[in-house]
Amino acid sequence: MTPYVPGPLAATHERLENWGRWARGGRGAGRAGSAEGRYLRERLPDDDDGRRAAAPSIDAADAGRVDAALAPARGFDRRASALLKAHYVHRASPHVVARRAGVQVSRLSAEFERALTAARHALGPLD
């Protein structure tokens, strides 16, 4: 799911993308999170044949702030938290995101925008 992100929410979207990479342990596509992934040797910079884009860096301090701010235990909406985690951390399909968040698939775009707005207010400005 690649939802439409309105301009004012673009910075929040980028912070949530960073949070998702951090929560997945920095693993991106092409790196298994299973036992097999632990036994594959790391790719060296000179192994790159030009087909892969460089992995974006992870701001761990900001990701920790995002993780704390989006916790339902701290008062963040449980449904919005589940929706954002399913999308940014688990990279789930729209149907799975909707199921985990408890919303209808037809309302997913509106709920996603509402969750992004709630996250923007919970996070505040980046220092």
Side-chain angles (χ1 to χ4, degrees):
M1 171 175 108
T2 307
Y4 168 72
V5 178
L9 298 173
T12 303
H13 172 71
E14 290 302 318
R15 290 180 76 183
L16 292 171
E17 286 284 345
N18 178 64
W19 169 61
R21 285 190 301 274
W22 172 81
R24 288 189 304 273
R27 289 188 309 270
R31 187 79 179 147
S34 64
E36 177 184 319
R38 289 192 299 267
Y39 292 109
L40 294 175
R41 75 173 179 84
E42 290 291 326
R43 292 181 61 93
L44 301 173
D46 57 337
D47 288 345
D48 192 14
D49 55 7
R51 290 183 291 172
R52 292 179 188 233
S57 64
I58 296 174
D59 182 354
D62 184 52
R65 287 190 293 270
V66 170
D67 195 50
L70 300 185
R74 293 219 174 172
F76 193 74
D77 181 53
R78 186 174 303 277
R79 179 178 286 178
S81 179
L83 191 149
L84 294 173
K85 187 176 280 190
H87 176 72
Y88 288 104
V89 176
H90 301 295
R91 295 290 192 205
S93 70
H95 294 292
V96 173
V97 171
R99 184 177 66 237
R100 286 184 183 172
V103 300
Q104 295 175 350
V105 177
S106 61
R107 298 256 325 126
L108 190 57
S109 294
E111 288 293 324
F112 185 77
E113 190 170 338
R114 187 185 69 77
L116 270 178
T117 303
R120 182 179 72 182
H121 292 298
L123 294 171
L126 179 61
D127 296 331

